[in-house]
Amino acid sequence: MATVIYPSPIFGPVHSRRLGVSLGINLLPEDGKWCTFDCVYCECGFNKDFRPKKPLPTREEVYMALEERLKNMSANGPVPDVLTFAGNGEPTLHPHFAEIIEDTRALRDRYFPKAKISVLSNATQIFRPEVFEALRKVDNNILKLDTVDEGYIRRVDRPTGRYEISRVVERLKDFRGKVIIQTMFMKGMSEGADVDNTSDRFVEPWLRAVKEISPSQVMIYTIDRETPDHELKKATREELDRIAGRIRQEGLEVSVSY
């Protein structure tokens, strides 16, 4: 089973398909995965196979490690395009997420004021006021919405707790455009079920919801690394281009990662 478990609290920089030179900030334990989704396509593997034993990094540990790395990059390069909260699960689960965002903004302004701050999140924690407000303060508030089909979300994203798509969509509207919607399109099978979400059956209702959210940008992408479920397949370039065309027809900005 292929997995990518990231160091904590800082990793990279890496070259991101969507964001450029990205310095990763992992607020989850370094020895496993902690997430409110258990996606069949997750590069970090299934939750049950990689339960962490080590603690979360503290706010102080994140600050010190990030400042040390930024100092080094300032002296030796490379220049980061973005500081990205990602890693081994859902970053907004950290109890001091909001405070760490404030620390990161201050360090960014000191060392690389032109760099953007990005958060890659599955949007399960946006009902917590402190998380919502922290996400409003970052440059790239990138939140997942793979579908608006309840059956598909249970089969593919597999939330570990309460998750109602209609409720999530309503909360996403509250960002008033200061949000980037990120969606995985793929094909293949998972546990005997078809997981192709590239057809109009899935795209049209998803697109109506996205239009209501009115994000600053839509990011669509497909599988790039080996997945824990080996029957999954990439969406084709033609399929992604067709979906991107429909997004543009609605007057929305879109980026595509093949």
Side-chain angles (χ1 to χ4, degrees), residues 25-28 34-35 56 84-98 100 118-122 125 128 131 135:
I25 304 171
N26 175 25
L27 301 185
L28 290 311
W34 189 28
C35 195
L56 298 171
T84 304
F85 287 82
N88 303 334
E90 176 49 45
T92 61
L93 285 172
H94 196 289
H96 296 291
F97 175 76
I100 292 170
S118 298
V119 177
L120 299 177
S121 169
N122 62 23
Q125 303 301 300
R128 292 167 53 201
V131 170
L135 290 172

Side-chain angles (χ1 to χ4, degrees), residues 160-178:
T160 61
R162 180 185 180 189
Y163 185 89
E164 297 175 16
I165 292 175
S166 59
R167 185 167 170 259
V168 171
V169 169
E170 288 302 311
R171 187 58 167 159
L172 290 170
K173 293 179 187 178
D174 291 338
F175 283 106
R176 299 187 182 279
K178 190 169 175 55

Side-chain angles (χ1 to χ4, degrees), residues 16-232:
S16 166
R17 287 187 294 169
R18 296 176 287 280
L19 302 172
V21 178
S22 172
L23 181 65
I25 304 171
N26 175 25
L27 301 185
L28 290 311
E30 64 182 4
D31 65 333
K33 182 185 172 191
W34 189 28
C35 195
T36 48
F37 274 2
D38 194 16
C39 299
V40 298
Y41 58 77
C42 182
E43 66 184 15
C44 296
F46 293 127
N47 293 355
K48 65 181 176 61
D49 296 321
F50 298 94
R51 299 198 185 282
K53 296 181 175 60
K54 293 186 178 181
L56 298 171
T58 66
R59 174 186 178 182
E60 292 72 24
E61 287 170 341
V62 175
Y63 186 97
M64 292 174 61
L66 179 58
E67 183 170 36
E68 181 180 355
R69 184 63 60 85
L70 291 177
K71 279 183 179 178
N72 183 275
M73 293 173 74
S74 180
N76 303 305
V79 173
D81 296 308
V82 63
L83 312 180
T84 304
F85 287 82
N88 303 334
E90 176 49 45
T92 61
L93 285 172
H94 196 289
H96 296 291
F97 175 76
E99 294 92 335
I100 292 170
I101 289 293
E102 293 296 342
D103 293 343
T104 302
R105 292 175 70 201
L107 289 171
R108 182 274 309 273
D109 292 347
R110 186 182 308 165
Y111 292 100
F112 293 102
K114 293 184 179 180
K116 304 293 187 184
I117 296 174
S118 298
V119 177
L120 299 177
S121 169
N122 62 23
T124 57
Q125 303 301 300
I126 58 176
F127 300 98
R128 292 167 53 201
E130 67 276 17
V131 170
F132 183 86
E133 291 304 322
L135 290 172
R136 284 173 52 85
K137 295 176 182 178
V138 303
D139 302 290
N140 298 319
N141 171 30
I142 304 172
L143 302 184
K144 176 170 289 298
L145 186 69
D146 282 343
T147 183
V148 293
D149 184 284
E150 290 282 358
Y152 191 90
I153 202 83
R154 304 293 166 196
R155 188 162 58 249
V156 172
D157 293 71
R158 305 196 303 176
T160 61
R162 180 185 180 189
Y163 185 89
E164 297 175 16
I165 292 175
S166 59
R167 185 167 170 259
V168 171
V169 169
E170 288 302 311
R171 187 58 167 159
L172 290 170
K173 293 179 187 178
D174 291 338
F175 283 106
R176 299 187 182 279
K178 190 169 175 55
V179 60
I180 297 170
I181 295 298
Q182 183 189 67
T183 302
M184 164 70 81
F185 287 101
M186 64 180 185
K187 304 169 74 173
M189 305 290 288
S190 178
E191 296 183 346
D194 188 347
V195 295
D196 184 346
N197 65 336
T198 65
S199 68
D200 286 346
R201 173 192 165 194
F202 291 99
V203 172
E204 293 300 329
W206 165 84
L207 187 54
R208 286 194 293 271
V210 170
K211 188 177 180 182
E212 290 178 6
I213 295 165
S214 190
S216 61
Q217 185 184 105
V218 183
M219 290 181 172
I220 63 173
Y221 67 123
T222 192
I223 294 166
D224 184 48
R225 296 179 176 138
E226 192 172 352
T227 59
D229 192 325
H230 298 301
E231 293 186 273
L232 306 179

